[in-house]
Amino acid sequence: MASKNRITQLFNIDYPLIQAGMIWASGWKLASAVSNAGGLGIIGAGSMYPEILKEHIQKCKKATDKPFAVNVPMLYPEIDKIMAIIIKEGVEIVFTSAGNPKTWTKHLQENGIKVVHVVSSVKFAMKSEEAGVDALVAEGFEAGGHNGRDETTTFTLIPMVKEKISIPLIAAGGIATGKGMLAAMVLGADAVQVGSRFVATPEASSHKNFKKMVVDAQEGDTVLTLKELAPVRLLKNKFYDDVQSLYLKSPSKEELIDLLGRARAKKGMFEGDLEEGELEIGQISGLIHEIKPAAEIVKEMISEFEQAKQEVARL
């Protein structure tokens, strides 16, 4: 990519391409592979005990001399320990999500860390800018995993957020190609965050059964459900069918919680139980057809991005 922009300069990376910090998929192997390829790799702390995160950070530092980040859901029960480890280990970039950015932004920045917050609405984008974050991820509801309640699509959300904020903006949700990357940036994003595409890589820590189901997915195979708890996009399977059957009985919130149980996402995505597990992935999975190394994905996306720019210029 010929020129630098606000995100590549902020993170000191080659390309405005960021790998999402996904639970059960993004450990040190994936993060270091993406960073070594010129993007920004992220370790997903949401599924890690503090000591496990520490191990992943240390291994990532040995595997790459490029910048990488850690994603921290603000609802994490031992977040004090997580943040202490991040600071002690010298992580330079933190992506926060699912909570109030005011809680940790200033503290992290005082320790030399750049802070990016993930939002799903214009309202929370503006609140995050007020909290002083260095950049934002605006994520449309096409994305896999937990989503915002407004169900705003990426291509609607990005220009709306861009209209209201001045800090660097990263688009997420439904992006897995260079053409999608260009489209998001034309709408106002400075970079893109890609999750689902990097699940289908050898470096992702998710189970091979889950990866295969992702590449076999077709249009319409994912759905947003459990909105009474925390809206989540997942692949249809027996667990999803059980949720739908329960909905026919007009369940209480407590009944939905009982059905969900504990460690449902781990069972599906990490342990490979395709029947009883929660299989979180985005709508773009219908466009993912093979498992390939993360570095190849970065190379292909950037090459397609550049080619698409030239094609548009000829219109």
Side-chain angles (χ1 to χ4, degrees):
M1 200 165 293
S3 60
K4 293 286 185 178
N5 72 8
R6 295 195 297 173
I7 285 295
T8 59
Q9 291 173 341
L10 180 65
F11 298 148
N12 193 27
I13 56 178
D14 294 330
Y15 310 125
L17 175 59
I18 296 154
Q19 163 245 314
M22 305 163 286
I23 62 168
W24 306 117
S26 49
W28 70 270
K29 288 183 180 179
L30 179 57
S32 61
V34 173
S35 289
N36 282 332
L40 181 71
I42 302 182
I43 296 172
S47 54
M48 299 180 182
Y49 291 114
E51 286 305 310
I52 297 297
L53 174 62
K54 180 179 180 180
E55 179 182 337
H56 276 261
I57 292 172
Q58 291 177 344
K59 287 183 176 180
C60 199
K61 287 193 291 187
K62 291 180 180 178
T64 183
D65 59 357
K66 305 288 187 179
F68 66 90
V70 173
N71 173 258
V72 183
M74 307 292 274
L75 300 177
Y76 190 97
E78 295 182 285
I79 193 166
D80 289 6
K81 292 181 181 179
I82 288 288
M83 293 304 193
I85 288 170
I86 286 171
I87 292 169
K88 184 175 180 180
E89 291 297 323
V91 175
E92 297 179 352
I93 307 162
V94 167
F95 282 57
T96 55
S97 58
N100 186 350
K102 287 185 178 179
T103 310
W104 285 98
T105 294
K106 185 176 180 181
H107 180 67
L108 291 170
Q109 289 172 337
E110 288 173 347
N111 282 275
I113 297 172
K114 297 179 180 69
V115 179
V116 184
H117 194 62
V118 182
V119 301
S120 59
S121 70
V122 175
K123 174 183 175 182
F124 288 113
M126 294 172 68
K127 286 183 177 294
S128 298
E129 184 172 41
E130 291 172 6
V133 300
D134 296 286
L136 276 172
V137 175
E139 182 178 80
F141 96 124
E142 301 97 323
H146 291 287
N147 279 300
R149 298 185 181 278
D150 296 329
E151 299 190 12
T152 308
T153 63
T154 301
F155 274 23
T156 302
L157 182 62
I158 295 305
M160 286 182 173
V161 171
K162 181 67 174 182
E163 190 176 56
K164 297 293 184 179
I165 68 164
S166 59
I167 58 177
L169 175 61
I170 301 162
I175 302 167
T177 65
K179 290 180 179 178
M181 179 179 178
L182 177 61
M185 294 177 73
V186 168
L187 287 173
D190 297 285
V192 296
Q193 178 175 281
V194 175
S196 298
R197 187 64 192 93
F198 285 116
V199 168
T201 60
E203 297 92 343
S205 50
S206 43
H207 197 279
K208 63 181 181 179
N209 293 350
F210 176 49
K211 295 178 187 180
K212 184 177 186 306
M213 195 166 180
V214 170
V215 299
D216 289 342
Q218 303 294 316
E219 177 193 2
D221 284 349
T222 73
V223 66
L224 194 70
T225 189
L226 294 172
K227 298 175 186 178
E228 295 84 353
L229 306 181
V232 61
R233 181 172 296 283
L234 42 73
L235 284 165
K236 296 175 181 176
N237 65 348
K238 180 183 177 298
F239 166 63
Y240 167 72
D241 291 339
D242 291 343
V243 172
Q244 293 306 103
S245 295
L246 184 56
Y247 272 128
L248 294 176
K249 303 175 183 178
S250 299
S252 65
K253 185 176 179 180
E254 289 68 29
E255 287 175 308
L256 289 169
I257 291 173
D258 287 342
L259 175 60
L260 179 61
R262 290 181 57 82
R264 183 77 71 168
K266 179 182 180 182
K267 181 181 290 187
M269 299 160 68
F270 192 68
E271 297 175 354
D273 187 336
L274 303 184
E275 296 295 316
E276 298 295 340
E278 182 178 295
L279 308 173
E280 300 178 10
I281 204 73
Q283 285 183 328
I284 201 69
S285 54
L287 203 59
I288 299 170
H289 307 306
E290 61 181 319
I291 296 170
K292 60 175 60 178
E296 286 188 26
I297 292 171
V298 173
K299 182 179 179 180
E300 286 181 5
M301 285 190 67
I302 297 304
S303 176
E304 185 178 283
F305 173 86
E306 293 291 355
Q307 183 178 350
K309 275 204 307 183
Q310 294 174 11
E311 291 173 355
V312 169
R314 289 195 293 267
L315 294 178

